[in-house]
Amino acid sequence: DVKVTQSSRYLVKRTGEKVFLECVQDMDHENMFWYRQDPGLGLRLIYFSYDVKMKEKGDIPEGYSVSREKKERFSLILESASTNQTSMYLCASSLQSGPYEQYFGPGTRLTVT
Amino acid sequence: GDSVTQMEGPVTLSEEAFLTINCTYTATGYPSLFWYVQYPGEGLQLLLKATKADDKGSNKGFEATYRKETTSFHLEKGSVQVSDSAVYFCAGWSSTLGRLYFGRGTQLTVWP
């Protein structure tokens, strides 16, 4: 079974802190994604990556950056956390580019106070 | 741009009732279409998909038919169970953007 793991289920940070959210997949997938999930807004894509060291902006990249140094790991970075970044963050991976199934991690619920 | 619109929730049903969750798409061409489900406390998982017009995706008693005439991909189940309580997301694949685009999700609650 494909497994996508996220470093934390719950995280509480203070405004202005630098926050790292880590995601690891164990199936040698090429593509990885970071989404943000908010009530009434569904899933919004923050960043995605089709290869190591490669990244593409999604719909809401402002205030975020990403890093993909190894194929299996995709990190989301909040350079200076703000309260409007309080949300559920979901990581996903897929085998390759195209209309293929995305496999999701369990999510990290981040609260910024 | 490419998008999907799904019916707003929440949807509340009694066990064994018939379920329909509407989804329509806007896209250039004919995108692959998906339904994902998110059970409480979990990430999303693929429920079913269809890659071309008139295809029917099915899984766990759920079905959806890709209808290009009405640009729709409605999710149906003949008899829901309490265990079907979840959030359901319609999604499409954009070949232009090279990624999925999701609807806003529909919360389903099934009562015994």
Side-chain angles (χ1 to χ4, degrees):
Chain A
D1 279 352
V2 175
K3 192 156 188 179
V4 179
T5 57
Q6 296 183 230
S7 51
S8 305
R9 291 300 300 268
Y10 300 93
L11 208 53
V12 180
K13 295 293 183 180
R14 293 190 182 274
T15 300
E17 278 193 82
K18 191 169 185 176
V19 181
F20 293 86
L21 302 183
E22 306 285 342
C23 175
V24 177
Q25 50 93 4
D26 67 356
M27 284 301 292
D28 203 35
H29 282 178
E30 299 288 334
N31 303 335
M32 297 188 75
F33 307 84
W34 274 107
Y35 293 91
R36 173 176 169 160
Q37 182 178 12
D38 298 289
L41 296 178
L43 268 67
R44 293 180 290 169
L45 182 64
I46 305 172
Y47 269 98
F48 58 107
S49 169
Y50 286 148
D51 201 354
V52 174
K53 296 190 187 295
M54 178 272 184
K55 60 185 179 184
E56 292 283 346
K57 293 181 180 180
D59 299 319
I60 53 165
E62 298 78 18
Y64 304 94
S65 63
V66 291
S67 172
R68 193 167 181 202
E69 296 296 319
K70 294 184 177 181
K71 190 175 185 179
E72 67 270 18
R73 187 179 298 269
F74 192 35
S75 301
L76 180 68
I77 303 156
L78 287 66
E79 295 290 342
S80 178
S82 63
T83 55
N84 63 12
Q85 292 178 310
T86 291
S87 187
M88 172 69 83
Y89 291 88
L90 292 168
C91 176
S93 71
S94 68
L95 180 62
Q96 56 187 303
S97 300
Y100 298 100
E101 179 176 358
Q102 288 190 10
Y103 295 83
F104 284 79
T108 295
R109 183 164 295 281
L110 173 67
T111 302
V112 183
T113 62
Chain B
D2 296 352
S3 66
V4 292
T5 303
Q6 61 181 104
M7 63 185 285
E8 292 188 16
V11 174
T12 303
L13 295 172
S14 298
E15 207 164 24
E16 299 183 2
F18 185 85
L19 168 71
T20 300
I21 301 177
N22 292 338
C23 172
T24 57
Y25 69 88
T26 301
T28 50
Y30 301 105
S32 294
L33 298 171
F34 306 79
W35 277 100
Y36 279 80
V37 59
Q38 184 180 33
Y39 297 106
E42 299 182 12
L44 280 70
Q45 58 185 269
L46 180 65
L47 181 59
L48 53 84
K49 66 182 280 189
T51 57
K52 61 184 187 299
D54 299 326
D55 266 3
K56 177 185 281 189
S58 62
N59 186 23
K60 299 182 180 180
F62 291 89
E63 292 183 341
T65 301
Y66 191 141
R67 300 197 187 281
K68 67 176 182 180
E69 304 84 11
T70 53
T71 63
S72 65
F73 192 55
H74 304 323
L75 183 68
E76 297 182 334
K77 187 175 186 183
S79 177
V80 294
Q81 305 300 312
V82 172
S83 57
D84 295 326
S85 297
V87 182
Y88 293 81
F89 292 91
C90 184
W93 171 261
S94 171
S95 56
T96 305
L97 298 175
R99 61 179 179 85
L100 282 177
Y101 48 94
F102 286 87
R104 295 191 172 191
T106 302
Q107 172 76 56
L108 169 67
T109 301
V110 180
W111 296 99

